[in-house]
Amino acid sequence: MIALGIDPGTAICGYGFVEMVGSRLVPRAYGSIFTSPKMRMEDRLAKIYDALDVLIKEHRPDVMGVEKLFFNRNVTTAIPVGQARGIVLLCAAKNSLRLVERTPIQIKQDVTGYGKATKAQVIYMVTKLLHLAEPPKPDDTADALAIAICTTHCVSSIAWRNGL
């Protein structure tokens, strides 16, 4: 089973493909899609959609995980992230991917065992769980891998398989 984790953003959209092989998590591909702030917003969103669509068709995940939006104090940041998240959800729908949405606390809890873990703790655990030689960069890529790890755990649960 291959899970795709996405950390949506308009400047940097992190992605990570993680495969569950037996009880081991294996990274298949990861990185970030970058857009320039000099681009028109609609062009930035189109670039994210097109790049993500190519990645999905290439790696053929079984499920996509994405972080649930939470209300941010900075509306200037929250709106573009919401727009990028909408593009990600559209791409999932167009590729007939099942979607897993988890809160930041749920992701941290699943990856580190502590829902209030720091960014450094999440990156450390992602690196260890995936047996990576070095921490993934930028942070958006590490976050996407954490979401993919969380998604594999969620989909592996009996409740998920039973459609609950």
Side-chain angles (χ1 to χ4, degrees), residues 14-154:
Y15 66 87
F17 293 87
V18 173
E19 184 174 6
M20 179 70 86
V21 180
S23 62
R24 184 175 172 165
L25 296 169
V26 179
R28 291 295 173 212
Y30 54 91
S32 290
I33 302 162
F34 297 90
T35 67
S36 169
K38 295 178 182 176
M39 295 171 70
R40 297 178 318 154
M41 181 56 74
E42 56 269 34
D43 294 332
R44 294 173 89 179
L45 296 172
K47 181 178 179 180
I48 292 166
Y49 179 89
D50 292 341
L52 188 54
D53 190 56
V54 166
L55 287 165
I56 289 170
K57 285 176 174 39
E58 179 182 346
H59 296 285
R60 306 189 54 80
D62 301 294
V63 63
M64 178 191 286
V66 66
E67 189 175 274
K68 278 187 182 177
L69 269 185
F70 61 95
F71 288 101
N72 194 324
R73 287 186 203 135
N74 185 350
V75 176
T76 307
T77 303
I79 291 173
V81 169
Q83 291 172 323
R85 188 173 183 281
I87 291 299
V88 168
L89 298 180
L90 174 64
C91 205
K94 290 289 191 178
N95 284 281
S96 301
L97 288 176
R98 288 183 72 184
L99 194 66
V100 173
E101 296 180 270
R102 309 298 279 171
T103 67
I105 290 174
Q106 289 171 316
I107 294 164
K108 290 175 183 180
Q109 176 69 39
D110 196 44
V111 174
T112 70
Y114 180 57
K116 295 184 180 178
T118 65
K119 175 107 22 214
Q121 289 169 322
V122 171
I123 292 170
Y124 174 82
M125 286 305 298
V126 164
T127 305
K128 293 301 175 195
L129 288 169
L130 297 178
H131 306 283
L132 301 174
E134 57 188 48
K137 296 208 186 308
D139 291 352
D140 309 80
T141 301
D143 290 345
L145 286 168
I147 294 164
I149 291 167
C150 182
T151 301
T152 63
H153 293 163
C154 179

